[in-house]
Amino acid sequence: LAKHPEIKALMKPDYNLIWVVVLMVLAQLTAFYLVKDLDWKWVVFWAYVFGSCISHSMTLAIHEISHNSAFGNSKAMWNRWFGIFANLPLGLPYSISFKRYHMDHHRYLGGDGIDVDIPTNFEGWFFCTPFRKFMWIVLQPFFYAIRPLCINPKPISRLEVINLLAQLSFDVVIYYLWGGKSIFYMLAGSVLGLGLHPISGHFIAEHYMFLKGHETYSYYGPLNLLTFNVGYHNEHHDFPNIPGKSLPLVKKIAAEYYDNLPQYNSWIKVLYDFVTDDTISPYSRMKRQLKGEVKQD
C-alpha cells in the first residue's frame, strides 16, 4: 500500500454482486421447476452439468458475501441476511457457519486447531494412495462439513439457527411445489459441484504446498469467470476487503509482487497432479502452533 496507495480505492462494495446472486437464485428456481418431470437419468445429468456449476459458484458468492462485499462493512447484517438468501438453492444451511470459520482462516492461516481448512490427521494418514486421494476429492463436501465439528466446534449462534430454519422452510416449499426430483437436483448439484468437479480444483490449488516454501497460490485461468475470481488467491489474502471483481486490478497495479510467484493455469491439472503425485497428500499444508491470544468469530 505504501508503494501503491491507489489500491485503497478498490476497497469498496461490489453492488453488481447483489444482482448476480439474485439471477443465480432465479436460475436455480427455474431449473427446479424444469427437472420436476424429467426421467431420473436427466435429473442426474443436469444436476452435474448445470446445477453443480451454479451451486459451486454460489458457495463462492457466499464467500464474497462473508467478506461483506455485497453491501460493505457498514451494513454487515445486510450481508448476513443476503448470505442466507444466497444459500437457499444449495439445499443445506451453510452461509452463516462458513462466515464464522472463514474469518478464522484469514486471521490464523494454518493455525492448528483453529483453521478448519487444514485436513485432520486421519485424512492425511488414510488418503495417501492415488485411489484414496481420488476418493478424498469426491468426498470433499462431507469433509468440509464434518471437519469443523472435529477440529474447532463452536456454540451454535442465533443466526445459524435462523439460517437452518430458513433453509428447511425453503426445502419444504420446493418439495411441496415440485416434488422429490427437484430436491434431489438441488442437493446432488451441491454435492457434485463441491466434489469431483473442475471448479473444485481451487480447494487444493489455494494452499497445498506443491512447492516447498509456497503455501498460497493463485490461478489465472478462465474458471475465474464462474468463481468471482477466487483464483486470485494471493491477492485475496493480501486484501480480503477487496471484492473478487477488483482483484485482477490489484495484480495489474502491483504486478511486481505477483507475476513472479508460482501460479496455476488449470484447476483440472491441479486435481490430476494431486492424485498422481506421491509427494502430495492432505498432509501437504502448512500448520502453525499459534501463540498469544486467539480471538475467534
Side-chain angles (χ1 to χ4, degrees), residues 1-9 239 250 252-257:
L1 285 176
K3 188 173 181 180
H4 299 288
E6 63 270 32
I7 287 177
K8 292 182 181 179
F239 301 102
V250 172
K252 182 178 180 180
I253 292 169
E256 68 272 25
Y257 291 98

Side-chain angles (χ1 to χ4, degrees), residues 24-65:
M24 290 169 68
V25 171
L26 292 176
Q28 280 294 70
L29 285 173
T30 302
F32 296 160
Y33 172 77
L34 292 175
V35 302
K36 67 183 180 66
D37 295 321
L38 294 180
D39 290 340
W40 278 106
K41 63 181 179 182
W42 290 111
V43 176
V44 174
F45 174 83
W46 287 113
Y48 188 77
V49 171
F50 182 76
S52 63
C53 296
I54 295 290
S55 292
H56 200 137
S57 184
M58 188 64 87
T59 66
L60 294 168
I62 289 172
H63 167 253
E64 288 284 291
I65 296 165

Side-chain angles (χ1 to χ4, degrees), residues 53-290:
C53 296
I54 295 290
S55 292
H56 200 137
S57 184
M58 188 64 87
T59 66
L60 294 168
I62 289 172
H63 167 253
E64 288 284 291
I65 296 165
S66 76
H67 286 283
N68 295 334
S69 293
F71 296 97
N73 292 321
S74 63
K75 297 179 179 178
M77 281 305 298
W78 287 36
N79 290 280
R80 302 292 78 75
W81 295 120
F82 191 57
I84 292 173
F85 168 75
N87 195 152
L88 293 177
L90 297 179
L92 298 170
Y94 162 82
S95 177
I96 299 301
S97 297
F98 173 79
K99 188 264 190 299
R100 297 179 73 193
Y101 284 103
H102 188 63
M103 295 304 103
D104 294 339
H105 171 69
H106 276 273
R107 294 188 190 109
Y108 309 109
L109 180 63
D112 190 17
I114 302 296
D115 184 0
V116 300
D117 198 52
I118 300 290
T120 62
N121 288 331
F122 168 78
E123 291 171 73
W125 168 76
F126 185 79
F127 296 99
C128 57
T129 68
F131 176 74
R132 291 181 184 181
K133 287 191 287 184
F134 174 82
M135 292 308 301
W136 184 77
I137 291 173
V138 173
L139 298 172
Q140 270 193 110
F142 300 101
F143 286 114
Y144 270 94
I146 296 170
R147 195 183 296 147
L149 304 177
C150 300
I151 294 179
N152 186 18
K154 297 184 179 186
I156 297 176
S157 69
R158 180 179 67 91
L159 278 176
E160 284 176 306
V161 173
I162 293 173
N163 194 175
L164 172 64
L165 294 177
Q167 190 63 60
L168 290 176
S169 299
F170 178 81
D171 293 351
V172 168
V173 169
I174 294 299
Y175 180 78
Y176 176 78
L177 290 176
W178 298 321
K181 290 181 179 178
S182 296
I183 292 292
F184 176 86
Y185 167 89
M186 181 196 305
L187 297 175
S190 296
V191 172
L192 295 171
L194 296 171
L196 187 63
H197 195 281
I199 299 178
S200 292
H202 81 86
F203 288 130
I204 294 170
E206 290 166 0
H207 297 296
Y208 283 76
M209 295 180 65
F210 282 79
L211 294 175
K212 302 303 180 186
H214 294 276
E215 61 175 304
T216 303
Y217 301 79
S218 288
Y219 156 82
Y220 299 122
L223 289 178
N224 278 304
L225 295 172
L226 299 177
T227 58
F228 300 91
N229 287 328
V230 75
Y232 288 75
H233 217 66
N234 277 298
E235 295 84 347
H236 172 61
H237 273 269
D238 285 347
F239 301 102
N241 56 342
I242 293 180
K245 174 185 176 182
S246 299
L247 291 178
L249 289 175
V250 172
K251 181 179 183 297
K252 182 178 180 180
I253 292 169
E256 68 272 25
Y257 291 98
Y258 299 110
D259 283 354
N260 294 322
L261 294 177
Q263 56 190 252
Y264 299 114
N265 292 308
S266 171
W267 277 337
I268 296 175
K269 188 176 188 304
V270 168
L271 292 172
Y272 175 82
D273 289 345
F274 178 81
V275 170
T276 58
D277 189 336
D278 291 338
T279 67
I280 302 296
S281 76
Y283 271 140
S284 302
R285 291 289 298 265
M286 179 69 76
K287 184 182 286 190
R288 296 177 173 83
Q289 297 298 322
L290 299 176

